[in-house]
Amino acid sequence: MFTNKLKKLLLSSSLLVAATAANAGYDIKLTDEDKISFGGYIKVDARYVDGDVAYKPFWIGSGTKLDESQNNFHLFANETRFNMKYSHGEVMGFIEMDFWGGGGNEIISNSANPRIRHAFIKYKDVVAGQTWSTFMNTSAIPESADFAGATTGLVFIRQGQVRYTMGNFQVSIENPETWGGEPANDSMPDVVARYNLKGDWGSVSFSALGRQLNTQLGNSETAIGGSIAGRIKTFGKDDFRFQLHQGELGRYVGVGFTPDVVGEQVEETTAYLAAYRHYWTETLRTTVLYGRAEADVSGADRSQWSVNLFQNLTKELSVGGEIGQFIMDDQDADSMYAQLSFKYVL
């Protein structure tokens, strides 16, 4: 079964997928102290999924097992995003949206609602607003066509917070939410502490998370967890990216992998990801990655692997392809996928 799926996907993805480039942006200087910047990208994806895990436009830590295998093809541009930054002296405001907000249909217009991704204010060493959790290391996310790639092994969460940075040390209070319990009783913010190491060799972060969770029966539980993640330079332009997460992390890991509370028990999760990116030329590169997450109480066990090829056609335009597999071992289900992507960075 696996061999037949792989053959079909290799045939359907004959030349593969997308690139990830830094958001360049355009700057407009208003005064000596005032500047507006615009950025983002347009991304077009063609995605084919074959297996007994139901189609998703990108894999997350949960999925629906099908009674029989299905195959689906979709062409979409929802990952397209736009951002704006306004700077005045030491104050900066940033807002970004994409089009994963739902709505529309595939019969006539394929409309999609915009959604807020980031909206925050930065003043000196303080950040306030919605952005990536301090617990998350974005530099350790691998380059992939599938959005974020192997989310099962990632800390991947945006939420409201107030963060203070002092050199390599960061501390924040962040929005609480007891998934699977009683969030109406969440009265204490999540607390995150993080230490960053950087050098010519790359970067590594060490993070700790503390929370108060509230169960359906009104019990309060303390939850703690830790994370180490980084990006290490190897040979030439190559790099190795990794993440390892352990503890009562719940909604922080795996993008919907497992709730914070299962029944009246706090879930404990182990998740990890490893990815190696190799440059064949200055602009042609491949990433091979594997991510996995396991939960003790629910028994959830999910993993994903992929291999891709990306090429920059110009500084702003990239194209490439990816094949991979999403596996739900706890439900004995899996789907192969192939994705072709085009990305134009504004």
Side-chain angles (χ1 to χ4, degrees), residues 3 31 47 82 111 124 181 191 199 226 230 276 287 295 334:
T3 303
T31 70
R47 182 173 172 90
F82 177 76
S111 302
K124 295 185 178 180
V191 178
Y276 191 86
T287 293
D334 70 276

Side-chain angles (χ1 to χ4, degrees), residues 319-341:
V319 62
E322 181 169 293
I323 59 171
Q325 183 182 26
F326 176 72
I327 305 163
M328 300 196 301
D329 280 316
D330 55 308
Q331 298 187 38
D332 191 26
D334 70 276
S335 280
M336 300 289 294
Y337 75 97
Q339 189 160 329
L340 173 68
S341 299

Side-chain angles (χ1 to χ4, degrees), residues 168-185:
N168 292 330
F169 180 73
Q170 296 177 307
V171 63
S172 64
I173 56 171
E174 305 193 8
N175 185 67
E177 177 75 12
T178 303
W179 180 28
E182 183 45 79
N185 292 329

